[in-house]
Amino acid sequence: MDIPRIPVGKTIEAGIDFLVEHCSFATRAFSDVLDTGLDIVQTGMLALPPWLFIIIVSLLTWRLARSKRIALFSIAGLLLIWNMGLWKATVSTISLVIVSTLMALMIGVPTGILAAMSKYVNKTVMPVLDVMQTMPAFVYLIPAIPFFGLGKVAAIFSTVIFAMPPAIRFTCLGIQQVPKELIECSEAFGSTRWQRLVKLELPLATPTIMAGVNQTVMLSLSMVVIAAMIGAKGLGGEVWKAIQRLQMGKGFEAGIGIVIVAIIMDRVLQKVGSRKQ
Amino acid sequence: MEKIRVENLYKIFGPQPAKVIPMLEQGLSKGDIMEKTKHGVGVNNASFSVEEGEIVVVMGLSGSGKSTLVRCINRLIEPTQGRVFIDGIDLTSLDKNELRKVRLEKLGMVFQNFALFPHRTVLQNAEFGLEIKGMDPEERSKKAYDALELVGLKGWEDSFPSQLSGGMQQRVGLARALALDPDILLMDEAFSALDPLIRRDMQDELISLQERMQKTILFISHDLDEALKLGDRIVLMKDGEIVQIGTPEDILTNPADDYVSRFVEDVDITKVLTAESVMKKTEAVGHIKTDGPRAALRKMRKNSISSLFVLNEERKLMGVVNAQDCAKLVAEGSSDLRSVICTTCKTTHLDTPAQDLFIIMQDLGYPLAVVDDDNRLKGVIIRGSLIAAIAERGGN
């Protein structure tokens, strides 16, 4: 007996094709704009001599994290990266991470707030997030290409999708965790829904939201590396090149570069987050 | 004037609350209804009113519906049926915005576990209501400062709630409500989370604040001693129903049913307490030989009392003078108190039972003098302190 095959893949493909056909003019235009923006960020960062850049970053980490150890680590780590000849790739990766994180947060935090405020939004968003988080990251790369073309914007697109769920989840969680008593109190004092959100829920949810931001940044970094496969370049691009040429040493050098960037970002964000408490 | 009036208020928890009300009217109990319909009865046909400037204590054990009742009054919980009037306005008919205004302008609330905002300083907590109201920052911090000073927290403005003790935290909660200067304070078990000594202090402080402010206060408590001490009237609840409304004396001497009498059993030590054990030391007395009306007036003023007991040369009680008469004497230029002493003032003996003191003190315009067999003044009893003394001893 032959059970007809359910055309899951074909349906999705048809859907995406349809979208590509009708939307790609818009997404391509968007892609061009974003590409130019990215270029400006990146050339701006590269225009600084590396030593100055390293000093600025170290001072920033020192100010933000209020920790000498982290500042010293940034100096040493970034000097090593410069020394390994990975400076340009690193700057490119950092700029990609910054842009995609900002976009993920711009969409994710408001969505999280809505999901916390409305049962219906919550019920719709949560299963979508489950799918987004369990789907292998590589799969997002495929539809990114027809919409945005090979390159950085496609990388950002798939990174945003991959990195957004924690921003939504943590924001929602943070707001839902505000004690019932305090909400009752703000109601008893005649707050509007907006006042309750701004004066009570968001400030109390901030540490949790910051934990979400940290996750988003880390996921962005890992996805930006994977997105080297569709031409994102940067440190991921170096790793990708090393894989294709089986250059073990080069691969590890780029890998170490990624680890250094990740550690700096993670520690700084963690400190900022815990200070907010 | 009537500030709060609650009429036939019901609150039923469950999916079809309206269905349950007829059953309650037929007299089914809370337990029966839970068993039959899986609906919880929060408040069952409650009606009472609170006069302006009065402290009414709603009291009952946990689960008696008292917290639900108070939340129905400001509609933090929507009543299933019935009406709530504040200053004659039917709150149950208001829309969201109108309700917010009433909450903001008329109803201050103090919570059991303080419900302070941990991310805000003490000052910012006290400012909260004013901020919601949209008052400009300078004015609101001035008002918040005043409110904090009123509750004795001057100097703590920039601390965070977590740095304060429980009693101080609740003072912040009180200041937060008072900063808005509402006519009505709803206090939901406001002192229950405090340890006994602090609780007693806070009760005393509330009484003295109330003397100055004359707010209308609805106080929720599970503690009969607290109810007796604070309440001008007490509303006793059981299973969502009001079983008795009355003055502390009414409740103690004339319990409406078994439930109330069992409740007050432990406290009904009026029978064993005597005048000696509830009297206070006389802070000031006049001496007929040395004190004229001016001296008497000064002593009264110094001790914030309005009448003074006068002793003769043998230190025996002669009678009592009041401030008004003394002032008249001063105006007339007379210096002898004898003409205004009321020598027929009521006195009582050291061993009079506290129960009888209530009757003796009824409609008494001055404190009751306690004397020994030789008519020497041993102490005085004030109505308020009588109730407080009974309440305090009931706690032991």
Side-chain angles (χ1 to χ4, degrees):
Chain A
M1 194 176 72
D2 255 9
I3 298 171
R5 189 175 184 284
I6 303 168
V8 177
K10 278 201 180 130
T11 316
I12 293 174
E13 210 175 304
I16 289 176
D17 277 348
F18 177 84
L19 282 176
V20 168
E21 207 173 306
H22 291 88
C23 305
S24 64
F25 71 94
T27 52
R28 290 286 178 148
F30 174 73
S31 170
D32 288 342
V33 176
L34 195 62
D35 220 5
T36 329
L38 255 177
D39 271 346
I40 294 170
V41 174
Q42 209 175 317
T43 17
M45 281 159 80
L46 280 173
L48 295 173
W51 57 268
L52 184 59
F53 189 92
I54 293 173
I55 290 174
I56 292 173
V57 170
S58 311
L59 282 177
L60 261 175
T61 51
W62 186 52
R63 289 290 306 157
L64 288 174
R66 304 222 176 118
S67 152
K68 274 187 198 145
R69 276 180 52 202
I70 300 173
L72 289 176
F73 177 83
S74 337
I75 296 177
L78 292 174
L79 281 174
L80 178 63
I81 288 174
W82 187 19
N83 182 265
M84 290 190 294
L86 292 170
W87 187 252
K88 211 179 150 191
T90 304
V91 168
S92 156
T93 295
I94 293 175
S95 60
L96 276 178
V97 169
I98 290 174
V99 172
S100 18
T101 303
L102 285 180
M103 287 181 66
L105 293 180
M106 270 175 350
I107 306 168
V109 173
T111 312
I113 292 173
L114 285 177
M117 295 205 303
S118 150
K119 240 185 350 201
Y120 302 104
V121 175
N122 195 315
K123 277 187 181 159
T124 335
V125 169
M126 288 307 156
V128 177
L129 291 186
D130 291 337
V131 174
M132 281 163 81
Q133 284 186 299
T134 41
M135 184 74 76
F138 303 94
V139 179
Y140 295 129
L141 299 176
I142 311 166
I145 301 166
F147 282 116
F148 302 100
L150 271 176
K152 287 185 173 155
V153 180
I156 287 179
F157 169 81
S158 38
T159 305
V160 168
I161 291 181
F162 183 69
M164 198 166 44
I168 299 177
R169 274 192 206 278
F170 278 76
T171 305
C172 181
L173 182 72
I175 291 176
Q176 284 172 340
Q177 272 176 345
V178 173
K180 201 181 137 260
E181 254 187 0
L182 297 184
I183 289 174
E184 203 174 37
C185 176
S186 85
E187 290 289 300
F189 278 90
S191 309
T192 59
R193 189 66 188 84
W194 176 252
Q195 283 173 325
R196 184 174 122 193
L197 180 70
V198 174
K199 293 186 194 297
L200 178 67
E201 290 170 331
L202 283 182
L204 284 182
T206 305
T208 315
I209 296 176
M210 282 309 291
V213 172
N214 188 355
Q215 294 269 303
T216 298
V217 171
M218 291 301 114
L219 287 181
S220 292
L221 187 59
S222 74
M223 188 64 192
V224 160
V225 171
I226 293 169
M229 286 193 250
I230 54 169
K233 301 207 179 90
L235 286 172
E238 299 299 316
V239 176
W240 187 234
K241 256 192 277 177
I243 292 174
Q244 287 166 328
R245 298 176 199 163
L246 264 174
Q247 293 170 316
M248 214 176 301
K250 285 250 173 203
F252 269 100
E253 278 180 359
I256 290 168
I258 292 167
V259 171
I260 291 169
V261 173
I263 289 177
I264 296 173
M265 287 181 164
D266 178 63
R267 294 299 183 275
V268 170
L269 283 166
Q270 265 186 22
K271 288 275 177 182
V272 173
S274 63
R275 209 172 58 229
K276 278 270 158 76
Q277 278 172 324
Chain B
M1 206 186 88
E2 209 174 56
K3 270 312 237 192
I4 307 175
R5 190 164 88 242
V6 174
E7 276 179 8
N8 305 98
L9 194 83
Y10 288 90
K11 176 65 200 181
I12 316 291
F13 295 102
Q16 287 175 303
K19 273 192 169 174
V20 175
I21 289 174
M23 296 176 165
L24 283 172
E25 281 163 352
Q26 283 165 27
L28 265 76
S29 77
K30 186 176 172 172
D32 290 343
I33 286 172
M34 189 66 202
E35 207 168 290
K36 273 192 184 162
T37 64
K38 303 281 171 230
H39 281 67
V41 178
V43 178
N44 180 3
N45 197 10
S47 300
F48 68 99
S49 62
V50 184
E51 297 293 316
E52 187 166 7
E54 192 182 27
I55 302 186
V56 168
V57 180
V58 178
M59 91 140 269
L61 299 172
S62 58
S64 61
K66 53 195 191 307
S67 278
T68 310
L69 178 66
V70 74
R71 279 168 175 69
C72 283
I73 287 173
N74 64 0
R75 277 178 63 191
L76 282 177
I77 294 178
E78 284 295 335
T80 308
Q81 191 179 303
R83 289 157 181 273
V84 176
F85 294 91
I86 304 284
D87 284 332
I89 302 166
D90 182 2
L91 242 62
T92 50
S93 70
L94 300 184
D95 68 25
K96 249 186 171 176
N97 263 321
E98 294 165 330
L99 176 66
R100 274 204 314 109
K101 269 191 202 136
V102 174
R103 283 175 177 172
L104 206 52
E105 275 155 24
K106 296 195 169 158
L107 297 167
M109 192 160 178
V110 182
F111 294 83
Q112 177 171 14
N113 295 313
F114 323 136
L116 298 180
F117 303 119
H119 61 294
R120 291 171 155 249
T121 62
V122 165
L123 182 69
Q124 288 168 334
N125 264 287
E127 276 181 344
F128 184 75
L130 303 165
E131 199 179 316
I132 294 295
K133 209 171 180 177
M135 190 177 279
D136 65 71
E138 218 166 284
E139 203 183 339
R140 75 179 184 226
S141 65
K142 199 192 151 290
K143 286 199 171 190
Y145 267 113
D146 291 347
L148 287 170
E149 196 177 343
L150 194 65
V151 298
L153 278 181
K154 204 179 175 183
W156 291 91
E157 291 86 358
D158 298 324
S159 312
F160 280 89
S162 56
Q163 295 167 306
L164 305 184
S165 68
M168 288 164 93
Q169 290 191 27
Q170 192 55 299
R171 282 165 203 263
V172 180
L174 192 56
R176 180 173 58 187
L178 290 177
L180 277 160
D181 196 24
D183 300 346
I184 298 169
L185 278 179
L186 303 175
M187 304 186 71
D188 180 24
E189 303 239 14
F191 303 149
S192 301
L194 305 173
D195 60 56
L197 278 176
I198 309 280
R199 193 187 311 161
R200 211 164 293 171
D201 284 350
M202 290 295 284
Q203 290 162 352
D204 292 337
E205 197 145 332
L206 183 68
I207 291 171
S208 80
L209 276 174
Q210 171 66 356
E211 274 164 16
R212 275 179 280 167
M213 301 181 309
Q214 290 297 310
K215 302 275 181 207
T216 304
I217 300 179
L218 189 65
F219 197 102
I220 308 299
S221 178
H222 65 252
D223 177 1
L224 185 60
D225 303 332
E226 185 168 70
L228 292 173
K229 187 168 174 183
L230 295 176
D232 294 318
R233 283 189 302 145
I234 296 173
V235 174
L236 254 164
M237 287 186 80
K238 183 201 172 193
D239 291 345
E241 260 178 298
I242 293 180
V243 276
Q244 187 173 7
I245 303 180
T247 62
E249 284 103 312
D250 282 344
I251 303 264
L252 282 177
T253 52
N254 202 5
D257 62 13
D258 269 4
Y259 176 74
V260 181
S261 55
R262 249 185 300 138
F263 220 119
V264 299
E265 218 161 54
D266 306 332
V267 185
D268 198 4
I269 39 168
T270 48
K271 288 171 191 135
V272 288
L273 279 184
T274 61
E276 185 173 19
S277 53
V278 296
M279 71 185 187
K280 288 190 2 180
K281 226 182 80 196
T282 18
E283 268 142 12
V285 290
H287 298 281
I288 196 71
K289 220 169 113 185
T290 50
D291 291 338
R294 275 175 208 281
L297 272 176
R298 204 181 56 238
K299 283 182 177 175
M300 287 185 233
R301 201 162 42 232
K302 216 170 150 193
N303 293 288
S304 341
I305 47 180
S306 60
S307 54
L308 189 71
F309 290 104
V310 183
L311 308 182
N312 67 12
E313 290 85 342
E314 288 151 32
R315 303 188 60 83
K316 289 184 180 169
L317 182 70
M318 285 184 73
V320 64
V321 290
N322 68 35
Q324 220 173 343
D325 291 338
C326 287
K328 221 183 281 169
L329 276 188
V330 171
E332 288 166 2
S334 166
S335 66
D336 196 354
L337 280 173
R338 272 173 228 273
S339 59
V340 292
I341 292 182
C342 165
T343 49
T344 56
C345 70
K346 279 186 186 170
T347 61
T348 190
H349 284 281
L350 287 167
D351 51 3
T352 313
Q355 197 181 14
D356 299 345
L357 292 173
F358 279 122
I359 300 156
I360 299 172
M361 292 194 72
Q362 216 157 29
D363 305 320
L364 197 63
Y366 42 85
L368 181 63
V370 184
V371 293
D372 64 9
D373 293 339
D374 294 331
N375 206 28
R376 280 183 221 279
L377 185 64
K378 288 300 190 184
V380 295
I381 299 171
I382 308 166
R383 202 159 151 275
S385 69
L386 171 60
I387 295 168
I390 289 168
E392 271 172 31
R393 281 175 181 75
N396 297 333

